[in-house]
Amino acid sequence: MSKKTKKLPLNFKILRLLLIPTILITVPFFNKIQEAKAGLEFQWDEDPSFKRLKWFQKENKKRFRNKIYFFLRPSDRNAELLKINLSIPKTFKVNLKEEKISLCKVRIGGFENRTKCLENIPADIEIISEESSLRSINIYPYKPIPSNKESYAILLKVFNPKKSGLYQFHSYGQPKGGSVSSYLGSWTIVID
């Protein structure tokens, strides 16, 4: 009887020596699972009047310094634009400063080159913040934005909000000769 009782604690010691290092080695690998990125975007009940626009951000982590490019490609503009309105969701709680917002002619990056502002477009920028409604930014370029083959971008330099989530920005533009702004499209950005 005494031989069997001695073998039992010995087996537990061997099992403990094998089990603990394997757990310690595999824990860092489980941490990487959370960083998996999906290559698809799903929308339930997609509205045909919704137009998805392209965007790019340098950093998607909470509270990090970020540059967000909201692109206006040639296919997004049908006419010359006198005014651009960017509506910002209420939940996107960041400090907006006029000197950190700009309109520029942009080179949209890809595999070989980075997204970069090529030329700043001089414009008056107005930040409208009302407590009851969405915040918005009105951009009045000194010269109308032409409807040529160049891409333009609204550049925000901000610190990301404290809360992670999806944030949907809407864009409206007033065409040359028109008195009312019309819907250009929407951007949905992600903060992790």
Side-chain angles (χ1 to χ4, degrees), residues 35-177:
E35 295 181 16
K37 305 237 185 232
L40 299 173
E41 178 181 333
F42 292 102
Q43 283 191 330
W44 306 110
D45 192 26
E46 189 171 327
D47 187 6
S49 62
F50 175 81
K51 184 177 179 186
R52 188 175 315 164
L53 299 176
K54 301 287 182 192
W55 56 274
F56 175 73
Q57 66 181 352
K58 296 273 186 179
E59 188 63 55
N60 65 351
K61 304 275 189 233
K62 296 184 288 186
R63 299 180 179 168
F64 273 60
R65 182 176 290 173
N66 194 5
K67 284 185 180 181
I68 306 171
Y69 293 87
F70 297 105
F71 298 126
L72 291 169
R73 297 174 300 163
S75 60
D76 302 332
R77 308 181 317 268
N78 295 331
E80 293 183 346
L81 296 176
L82 296 174
K83 171 188 167 187
I84 300 170
N85 178 284
L86 176 69
S87 67
I88 301 168
K90 276 185 181 180
T91 56
F92 193 75
K93 294 182 179 178
V94 298
N95 290 331
L96 294 173
K97 297 179 182 174
E98 291 178 12
E99 59 269 5
K100 299 289 184 179
I101 302 167
S102 63
L103 177 68
C104 64
K105 191 183 293 186
V106 70
R107 178 184 68 208
I108 299 174
F111 289 112
E112 295 181 2
N113 41 8
R114 295 177 148 188
T115 299
K116 180 180 176 182
C117 276
L118 300 174
E119 173 187 343
N120 280 333
I121 307 297
D124 287 331
I125 296 169
E126 176 185 28
I127 300 172
I128 301 170
S129 57
E130 299 174 8
E131 292 178 18
S132 62
S133 67
L134 298 172
R135 292 185 299 165
S136 64
I137 300 170
N138 288 331
I139 300 172
Y140 302 96
Y142 294 160
K143 293 180 184 176
I145 297 174
S147 59
N148 57 11
K149 294 186 179 185
E150 299 288 334
S151 293
Y152 293 88
I154 300 168
L155 175 61
L156 292 181
K157 297 176 185 175
V158 294
F159 281 94
N160 286 338
K162 295 176 185 177
K163 293 180 81 175
S164 61
L166 294 171
Y167 298 96
Q168 192 168 45
F169 295 78
H170 302 289
S171 172
Y172 302 92
Q174 181 180 349
K176 188 175 182 181

